[in-house]
Structures are given as structure tokens and as C-alpha cells.
Amino acid sequence: MISESRCPVEDGELLVRRGGEGPALLLIAGGTGSGDAYRALAKQLYADFTVITYDRRGHFGSTDTTTGPVPVARQADDALAVLDHAADGPAQVFGSSAGALIGLDLVARHPDHVTTLVAHEPPAVHLMPDAGSWLEAAAEQVRLARSGELMTAVTRFADAIAGAALPDLPNLRLPHEADWIRLFDRELTEFFDYLPDLRALRKASTEIFPVAGEGSRGRYHYQPAKILALELGLPFTEMPGAHLAPQRNPAKFAAALMDLLNPEP
């Protein structure tokens, strides 16, 4: 049975969902911030974990009364609030894409709240030698979205992600338009500008797994996980599928994720 609750945070309220049995596992969404993006993955995990998901602030069922950019640190503070709200003590955390960046910041500043972090394809482009080109691409997407060319911005965003290209259809209607606008207008620059605190992560007691999908090789969202693993002196793990594998290949991805998390006592 899945339960829903409201988690108060500074300047907002988050819609939280909880289901399953076992140790607590928080799934942090990337993209447009919907906890429901992990619905199929969560179903695969309910037998082994109490799975917690939430809509990021200002997206879908969650609220936000602030204006202006939403820093990664604030997103991580929200994740911490969700853990305090829905988990009984320290928990395991999985984050994909922007959700992985949020997880990394959570661990860097609150390692005692996270026993294990699986960071799937964090777009930490500042770790890459060609960071400038990716920052420029993100800035252009933001400019397009703000100038009324949202569909062009979304198309360029999706085309850069392995397995996420939009279908080439005339007059394609963009679902969840308000959430895409928020992503480009208030979040994307913050995510791409974020550099994980490597010193804090090295000191953290949390077990960290930098991972990327085998289908993402050669894409900008694959390399940062490998570099992060090298910087932290940790193993790098390839997962099944590409960037959207948690949504599109949930059974295979869940099996690989459980191998890392190992719910056995």
C-alpha cells in the first residue's frame, strides 16, 4: 500500500509517497522533478525496501513560494526534510541525473543521514575537461526557453541525452509545460553550475557508488560519474540501459541497484 503525506519545508511543502517494506530507500528525481517518474522502479523494490519518493519543490504536487534560482543546496535541504519526515533514521539514497547531484550535496553536508548513495549519471560537467561547451549549451537552452521557444529548448535538451530524443512529429504538444518552464528558468543553470564538494565527499562515512548506464557511453552525462569515482578513489559501476533506464528498464535496473544496495543484514 502506498501512502501520501505532505512534508513542510522552508517556503513550501512537498508531496511525499511511501510504500513497501524493509530499510528506507529515498529516490530523488531528476528532470522535471516528479516522484512518479520512479513509479515502475519503486514497484520492483517494494519487496525489499520502504521506498520514499517526492515531487521536488514547485513541481507537480509540491509547492514553492520563492522566486529566482533554486540552488542545489536548497534541493538537498528538501531531501533531508523528506528523510526526517518519512524515514526512521539514516537511509539509503538513489538519485539519477539532477537527482544524483542533489544526493551528492546531501551527503557532502549531512553524511550521517545517508548510509549509501547511488549517484546515477550526475551531470557534474565542471568535472569534465570540456565543461565550457556543455555550460554554453545549457545557457542557450535557457535563453531559448525564456524567449518563448520552449519546444526547441526541450528538443535540444533531450537530443543530448542517450535514449531521450523526442519523436519527430509535427505540432507535438509538450506535456507538463509548467514544469519544463521551471526547469529551464530556475533550475537548469544551478544544476550545471554545481560542482560536488569532493573534499567533503572523501571524508563522508556514506558508501558512495558513482554509476552510469552502458547505453550512455560517449554522452556528457556518462563521463562525470567516472571522473567522480576517480576523484573519490571509488569503483565506477556500469548499470543496464541508458540515462532513462530507471524509467524505461525498471526490472533490469532494479536488479542491478539491489546488487549495490544489498538489503541483506
Side-chain angles (χ1 to χ4, degrees):
M1 181 177 177
I2 301 171
S3 63
E4 289 191 354
S5 59
R6 308 292 300 183
C7 174
V9 292
E10 185 177 357
D11 300 311
E13 195 175 60
L14 307 178
L15 175 61
V16 178
R17 299 176 184 88
R18 191 173 185 269
E21 295 181 359
L25 171 60
L26 175 66
L27 308 182
I28 307 177
T32 53
S34 170
D36 261 357
Y38 290 133
R39 182 184 296 179
L41 178 63
K43 287 181 180 178
Q44 300 289 329
L45 299 168
Y46 284 151
D48 297 292
F49 298 95
T50 297
V51 181
I52 303 164
T53 63
Y54 69 100
D55 296 341
R56 292 206 320 266
R57 68 165 52 229
H59 288 287
F60 297 90
S62 295
T63 64
D64 180 21
T65 61
T66 68
T67 59
V70 184
V72 174
R74 169 157 282 192
Q75 305 261 18
D77 288 344
D78 290 347
L80 178 64
V82 171
L83 286 178
D84 289 341
H85 173 80
D88 298 322
Q92 296 174 305
V93 175
F94 168 79
S96 183
S97 194
L101 295 180
I102 295 168
L104 289 167
D105 195 72
L106 173 65
V107 168
R109 294 189 295 120
H110 305 285
D112 53 322
H113 284 74
V114 183
T115 58
T116 306
L117 170 68
V118 179
H120 179 250
E121 301 196 4
V125 297
H126 276 283
L127 294 174
M128 300 169 65
D130 58 344
S133 63
W134 297 110
L135 294 171
E136 289 174 8
E140 176 63 8
Q141 291 164 21
V142 170
R143 187 196 67 77
L144 287 166
R146 287 176 174 171
S147 64
E149 298 183 63
L150 179 62
M151 195 65 207
T152 302
V154 173
T155 300
R156 292 191 184 184
F157 177 84
D159 283 348
I161 295 173
L166 298 174
D168 186 16
L169 298 174
N171 303 316
L172 181 68
R173 186 175 183 276
L174 182 67
H176 314 303
E177 182 174 295
D179 294 281
W180 281 106
I181 291 171
R182 180 181 175 89
L183 174 65
F184 286 112
D185 191 46
R186 300 186 58 188
E187 297 179 328
L188 192 68
T189 299
E190 296 297 310
F191 287 135
F192 273 75
D193 279 349
Y194 179 75
L195 177 64
D197 187 339
L198 299 176
R199 180 176 296 181
L201 292 171
R202 291 187 190 108
K203 293 179 179 178
S205 57
T206 305
E207 188 172 19
I208 302 172
F209 292 98
V211 305
E214 59 189 6
S216 294
R217 295 173 191 165
R219 300 295 185 115
Y220 79 89
H221 42 82
Y222 178 95
Q223 195 66 17
K226 290 192 71 174
I227 298 172
L228 182 65
L230 286 171
E231 290 284 355
L232 300 181
L234 297 172
F236 166 74
T237 304
E238 274 199 341
M239 302 287 276
H243 193 67
L244 298 181
Q247 291 82 21
R248 296 186 176 175
N249 310 100
K252 286 185 178 181
F253 196 88
L257 182 59
M258 284 191 285
D259 284 344
L260 293 178
L261 296 176
N262 187 15
E264 296 301 321

